[in-house]
Structure formats: structure tokens, C-alpha cells
Amino acid sequence: MRSIRIHHAGPFSRGARLTLDDRTGLHLTRVLRLRVGAPVVIFDGRCSEHEAVLITTRDGRLGVEVGDARQPVPPSPLAITLAQGISRSERMDYAIQKATELGVRAIVPLLCERSVVKLDSDQAERKRAHWCAVATSACEQSGRADLPTIVPPGRLDTHLAAASADAGKILRLVLDPSCSTGPAALPSGLQAVELLIGPEGGLTDTELDLARRAGYQSLRLGPRVLRTETAAAAAIAVLQALHGDLG
């Protein structure tokens, strides 16, 4: 039977008694129907993972008693940063969920010319908190022990300007269905890569040109034009298969 995994910000060690937040407690007891004494796995999001059992804390809330450490699933040897054009809620959630399951190290949400979503500072922080929760849930489900970093949403042009100033330190790729270069043409021995994907409708010609000027190489994923959330999952899977831990 698959282990029930819970994220809890660390550090913690064997013998610790931790109180779970209300959302997690309700999910465990009302959705999964677990009871005090049930075995679970707890991880801190930084590659530390332990056996644990559910307990009732002194204030009557649901908690865990931490047991022996476990060997966690290690991060992929390929450090992928997903620079994702912000799309509508369910599509963005899907892209973040699948990117997390497939092992990306960092996610950079970007507002592009064709982004339908518009965010002020308060909305941006709420969105980021929601996306972090999506990623946490994906880690709990997939067996991953390290949480990806999700930075606050920013503007594509600002991100490209920073990338241009930092050119040459990482291979940067931008998905472009009009180019002819496929994944097989990428250099061997990749250790770190940034993947730029546009929102619904893709990147504009102006944005693609700005990306190339900032040092991004165009990449094509076959003859079909993929939706933004499909493109993220497909591209990450291909990169992990060729250079990461899906080979």
C-alpha cells in the first residue's frame, strides 16, 4: 500500500512530536479516514524524510510522533528551472503540479503579453501561496522529498533582462514551434537548464526575439503545437529522460 506522506517544515528528528495544521489534519481524518496510531511518512521539503505515527497532541489537535529516518528519493541530477508564462488557474495549476512531479528545482511564474491573468501585488502573493500548496501536494503524492522553489510572479521583460546580464552560466531554452532544433541536438552532460514557455497563445514574436537576444536557444518539441500546460510537462519529461533521472 502506498505510504501517506505529509510535508511539515523542518528541521525535526526522531522522537519529536509535531502538531499538524488544520488543513492537513482534516484531510487525513475526513478524506483519508486515518485514525490516531496510523503510520505516515513526514518530510521537510529539503530531502529529510522520516517514518511517523499519528498522535493527539496535548491541546487535542492531530499531530505526529517522528520515528526513524528514511532514505528519500534524491533530486534529479539535472537542475531544471521552469520559467512559465502565467495562464488561467487550472492550466497553471496543472503545469506546476506536473513540473513538480517531474522533478523541476525551481518555477518562475511570468506575466507575458498574452497572459490573460492580471495580478496586483496582493493577488500575486495569494497566487504564489496557492501554487506552493499545489507543489507541496504534488510532492506528497509523488514521493518527492524536496520542494521546488517558486518565486513571486514577475514580468517577462524584467526576467529576460536579468538573464541577459547573467548570460553563459546556464543553458537557457525557449520553446518555439517554428524552429527546427529538437532535444536530440542539445549538448551532452547537461547539469542545469532553464526552460521558458509562453502562456495561452504562446510568446509573441517580439518576446521570442527578446529571449534570443538574452541568450535563449530555441527548441522545438515535434510537429504539433502543444497547449502551454502540456508543453511544460512534455519538455521537462524529455529533458529528464535525456539528461536527468528518467533515462
Side-chain angles (χ1 to χ4, degrees), residues 92-219:
M92 192 67 179
D93 287 0
Y94 183 93
I96 288 174
Q97 180 189 68
K98 301 311 172 189
T100 301
E101 291 176 19
L102 289 164
V104 299
R105 298 281 184 89
I107 299 172
V108 182
L110 295 172
L111 291 164
C112 307
E113 288 187 34
R114 290 175 175 160
S115 290
V116 177
V117 178
K118 307 299 180 185
L119 302 173
D120 60 29
S121 58
D122 290 339
Q123 292 170 329
E125 185 50 43
R126 287 197 297 271
K127 277 290 187 183
R128 178 175 176 268
H130 170 74
W131 294 329
C132 286
V134 170
T136 298
S137 179
C139 284
E140 290 174 340
Q141 178 274 326
S142 66
R144 180 174 174 175
D146 60 310
L147 287 172
T149 300
I150 302 180
V151 303
R155 292 172 52 91
L156 175 62
D157 53 359
T158 302
H159 180 74
L160 293 179
S164 180
D166 198 29
K169 294 189 177 181
I170 184 174
L171 176 64
R172 290 186 167 89
L173 304 171
V174 56
L175 289 194
D176 179 3
S178 67
C179 80
S180 59
T181 303
L186 296 177
S188 61
L190 287 182
Q191 295 183 331
V193 61
E194 180 186 311
L195 181 65
L196 172 60
I197 299 176
E200 301 104 320
L203 299 172
T204 65
D205 290 341
T206 299
E207 289 173 327
L208 283 170
D209 185 55
L210 286 174
R212 296 188 194 101
R213 292 183 185 182
Y216 288 76
Q217 299 180 30
S218 294
L219 183 70

Side-chain angles (χ1 to χ4, degrees), residues 6 17-18 20 25 28-30 32-40 52-58 60-65:
I6 304 168
R17 296 169 67 89
L18 310 173
L20 301 177
L28 293 174
T29 56
R30 296 193 179 179
L32 299 181
R33 305 289 185 180
L34 297 183
R35 297 290 182 263
V36 170
V40 294
V53 294
L54 294 182
I55 61 171
T56 301
T57 60
R58 289 181 178 178
R61 298 176 64 187
L62 189 68
V64 295
E65 182 170 346

Side-chain angles (χ1 to χ4, degrees), residues 15-74:
R17 296 169 67 89
L18 310 173
T19 301
L20 301 177
D21 62 77
D22 292 337
R23 181 190 66 84
T24 300
L26 287 173
H27 179 73
L28 293 174
T29 56
R30 296 193 179 179
V31 178
L32 299 181
R33 305 289 185 180
L34 297 183
R35 297 290 182 263
V36 170
V40 294
V41 173
I42 190 165
F43 67 101
D44 67 358
R46 298 181 180 181
C47 291
S48 177
E49 185 170 292
H50 287 253
E51 303 282 356
V53 294
L54 294 182
I55 61 171
T56 301
T57 60
R58 289 181 178 178
D59 60 0
R61 298 176 64 187
L62 189 68
V64 295
E65 182 170 346
V66 180
D68 293 335
R70 290 166 39 119
Q71 185 66 38
V73 174

